Amino acid sequence: MKNKFYITTPIYYVNASPHIGHSYTTIAADCLARYMRRCLGEKNVWFLTGTDEHGQKIQRAAEAQNLTPQEFTDKMVLQFKDLWSGLNISYNDFIRTTEERHTKAVQRVLDILNKKGQVYSAKYEGWYCTPCETFWTQMQLADQNCPDCKRPVEKISETNYFFKLSQHQDWLIDYINNNPEFIRPASRYEEVMSFLRLNKLTDLCISRPKQRLSWGITLPFSPEHVTYVWFDALINYISAVGDFDREGKYKSEWWNSADVIHLIGKDILRQHAIYWPIILHALEIKLPKIIFAHGWWMTGSDKMSKSKGNVVSPLDMVDRFGIDAYRYFLLRDVPFGLDGNFSQKSLIKRLNGDLANDLGNLVYRTLTMIEKYFSGRVPEAKPTTKDSQEKDIREKIQQLEKKLSATLTIPHFNFSAALENIWEIINMANKYIEDTKPWNLSKENKIEELKGFILVLVDCIECVRETIAPFMPQTAASIKIQLGSRQIKKGKPLFPRVDLEPNT
Ligand code: MSP
């Protein structure tokens, strides 16, 4: 493992407003970036997100609003930036594929690959799915429809440019075989491997004729064509952090010296685990360390997506439940990698249980006791004999960092397991309060014992504050203010309970 990390999210299409699914990958990447910064220092982590702004979907969405594609994307990108600031996303850089640094890099990549003999032109005849922007052969169609999205396809006959993907199939199989952590979780590794074993890759069509689609990056060797939107989009990961020199060698401090982590949803696994490594290999650029494909948020049995009309707005959830309850729910409720069902009911259950009852109460009760028994000042420590419960708690605190590192680093990214580990301490501390019955200690005037007891709780809260910060930065900051350095500043409970309405 290197001591530098470069973490990316997919760049999102701006044809529609962001929904919970988009926010999920970005929140996970943010949590990871914050955690890594905590471990390695701010300057050793680079977190990139951005927007995918070319292609037919965007061109059509702009036309529908009577705007030029550029006007349309300039407007839409603000929704993404506003959402990320509303969710406390700490990205270091935001790339738009319409920026010059990106369009130039894409043209450079095309030029280099063309000169290396990796690109050729040919007449293409077949079927095209516009929403997926994908070509299909007659054989691949499902009842004459797109085999992926099941929507109608259009017959197409045109001259296009192709990247020699098929040439690198054996190399890719070998590479994945030798790097079992390259694609995660293991089920996705298997999926890619069995696809590669069972199918012969066809070359990738990387152009679209301008008479059909003008909103894209012009091919440097054919002014009549624009670049296929996926080929354009994948390059964002390198265009944002580096440049090609005159000889066509890629220079980038981040890409070359950090562990590169791509977080994606499982819907875009093939593009990331097949096209992208082959493009990089053909360019003689090193491969990312890991591609982690998480599952989908579903509504009932359907993936949440704009085309299904079942999306939930993240900002609505934040308005109703708060940023951190929303972040916590997404990261806690479903192990990263599996699908999950989104419902307000389960969010409220987590909020009332884990957050209001467990964490919120621990902080509130402890601060109330400090007010009541020690006039609002955290008492000075004096070593006392530890009871067995205290010993257990202190041992748990000591082991926590190790457990977090085992769950949060490559190749696991198991956010829910990390939170479970933190909650063990919260639960032990709450039980310690119930078992110790501090009101009796106070009645019996056992002040030294009471001090020792409060200090255990303060240490628990400190440890929890520190470790939840990547997941819930606002809550961690609020605990810090309330606990102060010695003089506490008790505020309202961290998480007010929410009533379950019958229709949620
Ligand atoms: N623009 C491409 C990605 C290019 S990356 C070089 C794209 N964009 S997208 O707007 O459709 O976003 C796809 C990503 O959004 C998924 O990979 C996933 O990260 C996230 N999600 C979108 N819907 C989702 C769910 N219902 N559930 C979880 N995440 C999903 O594809």
Side-chain angles (χ1 to χ4, degrees):
M1 204 169 85
K2 301 223 170 67
N3 54 5
K4 275 182 140 194
F5 283 93
Y6 171 35
I7 303 168
T8 68
T9 71
I11 46 171
Y12 303 103
Y13 289 129
V14 291
N15 58 320
S17 307
H19 59 72
I20 283 179
H22 306 115
S23 76
Y24 184 46
T25 325
T26 308
I27 288 173
D30 182 64
C31 178
L32 204 57
R34 286 173 186 269
Y35 173 73
M36 300 292 192
R37 287 187 195 118
R38 238 191 94 225
C39 301
L40 304 170
E42 293 277 326
K43 65 175 195 322
N44 289 318
V45 176
W46 196 252
F47 170 19
L48 174 73
T49 188
T51 40
D52 194 351
E53 303 190 1
H54 290 125
Q56 209 139 31
K57 273 197 245 250
I58 316 277
Q59 186 170 308
R60 288 192 179 169
E63 276 160 14
Q65 292 194 12
N66 251 327
L67 294 173
T68 65
Q70 191 63 59
E71 286 166 346
F72 175 75
T73 57
D74 286 348
K75 183 180 92 162
M76 291 302 287
V77 76
L78 298 177
Q79 289 196 20
F80 285 81
K81 289 190 168 172
D82 285 351
L83 176 60
W84 302 151
S85 86
L87 291 173
N88 261 333
I89 304 299
S90 62
Y91 58 79
N92 296 97
D93 190 10
F94 188 105
I95 187 153
R96 302 178 57 184
T97 53
T98 46
E99 285 170 37
E100 201 188 341
R101 60 172 168 162
H102 178 74
T103 55
K104 266 184 160 169
V106 171
Q107 291 188 319
R108 201 64 213 289
V109 164
L110 287 162
D111 190 45
I112 294 167
L113 291 178
N114 190 34
K115 289 196 173 119
K116 280 177 181 277
Q118 289 287 319
V119 174
Y120 63 91
S121 78
K123 189 148 174 99
Y124 178 85
E125 272 185 8
W127 299 94
Y128 189 66
C129 174
T130 307
C132 297
E133 310 211 22
T134 306
F135 290 100
W136 301 106
T137 60
Q138 178 65 44
M139 290 274 288
Q140 289 171 313
L141 297 184
D143 288 338
Q144 270 316 106
N145 289 326
C146 168
D148 269 0
C149 73
K150 314 284 185 264
R151 280 174 282 203
V153 286
E154 295 169 47
K155 180 113 199 200
I156 263 169
S157 163
E158 60 196 26
T159 296
N160 267 317
Y161 286 82
F162 292 81
F163 168 55
K164 293 182 179 169
L165 204 67
S166 59
Q167 217 185 55
H168 303 281
Q169 179 159 3
D170 292 340
W171 165 80
L172 184 61
I173 292 176
D174 273 358
Y175 184 86
I176 300 177
N177 246 328
N178 294 329
N179 293 275
E181 289 184 355
F182 180 53
I183 302 164
R184 294 296 284 202
S187 55
R188 301 290 157 221
Y189 175 97
E190 293 305 330
E191 184 183 320
V192 173
M193 269 316 230
S194 75
F195 178 84
L196 285 171
R197 285 199 194 103
L198 294 174
N199 298 279
K200 180 111 197 50
L201 288 182
T202 49
D203 289 340
L204 181 67
C205 181
I206 54 164
S207 67
R208 301 292 183 260
K210 278 197 182 160
Q211 77 246 31
R212 191 153 63 77
L213 170 71
S214 57
W215 183 235
I217 301 174
T218 303
L219 294 193
F221 40 81
S222 170
E224 299 311 311
H225 288 88
V226 296
T227 312
Y228 168 44
V229 67
W230 262 106
F231 192 90
D232 163 350
L234 288 164
I235 290 168
N236 92 86
Y237 299 130
I238 54 173
S239 68
V241 289
D243 236 328
F244 290 89
D245 69 10
R246 273 214 212 135
E247 282 73 46
K249 204 166 160 27
Y250 179 64
K251 304 273 185 210
S252 160
E253 216 208 298
W254 282 104
W255 190 274
N256 292 326
S257 69
D259 273 339
V260 179
I261 300 171
H262 293 319
L263 296 191
I264 58 167
K266 65 179 183 181
D267 46 331
I268 54 176
L269 180 62
R270 200 170 298 173
Q271 290 87 346
H272 281 82
I274 298 179
Y275 302 170
W276 184 225
I278 293 182
I279 295 170
L280 289 169
H281 177 62
L283 289 167
E284 296 172 64
I285 297 178
K286 79 159 205 189
L287 264 48
K289 173 88 180 164
I290 187 165
I291 296 164
F292 195 109
H294 64 67
W296 284 340
W297 283 99
M298 320 276 285
T299 339
S301 57
D302 278 333
K303 178 189 176 208
M304 193 182 288
S305 74
K306 181 182 177 240
S307 56
K308 297 221 161 72
N310 59 1
V311 295
V312 180
S313 148
L315 286 179
D316 285 353
M317 295 298 101
V318 167
D319 283 347
R320 191 149 176 226
F321 304 112
I323 303 178
D324 280 359
Y326 177 67
R327 288 175 62 117
Y328 175 81
F329 173 75
L330 294 185
L331 296 172
R332 172 66 186 84
D333 214 52
V334 175
F336 204 54
L338 302 182
D339 291 347
N341 228 298
F342 188 87
S343 77
Q344 293 197 37
K345 200 170 154 184
S346 15
L347 198 162
I348 292 173
K349 226 172 128 197
R350 289 273 175 205
L351 170 53
N352 286 343
D354 306 3
L355 298 178
N357 271 0
D358 302 344
L359 173 58
N361 263 346
L362 171 64
V363 174
Y364 198 76
R365 288 202 286 182
T366 305
L367 294 181
T368 306
M369 287 189 281
I370 297 174
E371 267 180 345
K372 190 164 167 197
Y373 303 131
F374 298 104
S375 327
R377 278 182 76 78
V378 178
E380 297 284 346
K382 224 197 206 169
T384 49
T385 40
K386 294 189 176 77
D387 60 36
S388 71
Q389 233 171 332
E390 176 178 352
K391 270 193 206 134
D392 290 350
I393 292 177
R394 295 216 177 270
E395 214 173 282
K396 271 265 159 8
I397 292 182
Q398 222 165 35
Q399 294 162 349
L400 185 63
E401 284 298 343
K402 227 189 207 158
K403 286 192 186 161
L404 291 185
S405 141
T407 48
L408 283 180
T409 48
I410 291 172
H412 304 293
F413 307 141
N414 194 343
F415 302 100
S416 57
L419 286 167
E420 272 175 42
N421 283 315
I422 301 173
W423 252 251
E424 269 187 28
I425 291 176
I426 297 176
N427 294 337
M428 282 173 99
N430 277 325
K431 183 155 189 318
Y432 190 46
I433 300 179
E434 272 127 49
D435 293 350
T436 307
K437 304 193 177 47
W439 46 93
N440 287 341
L441 293 181
S442 158
K443 253 191 243 152
E444 292 162 22
N445 218 10
K446 293 186 174 159
I447 299 303
E448 285 313 307
E449 275 178 52
L450 198 56
K451 277 186 185 171
F453 162 78
I454 291 287
L455 286 173
V456 176
L457 297 181
V458 168
D459 287 349
C460 285
I461 293 174
E462 279 292 351
C463 158
V464 168
R465 174 186 67 75
E466 172 84 6
T467 49
I468 59 165
F471 301 84
M472 298 190 279
Q474 207 178 47
T475 306
S478 157
I479 295 177
K480 190 172 176 148
I481 292 171
Q482 294 203 33
L483 206 54
S485 54
R486 282 222 92 76
Q487 184 68 44
I488 65 159
K489 235 174 133 185
K490 194 173 111 196
K492 287 199 195 110
L494 293 171
F495 297 98
R497 289 177 63 85
V498 172
D499 284 336
L500 245 181
E501 288 160 17
N503 59 351
T504 48

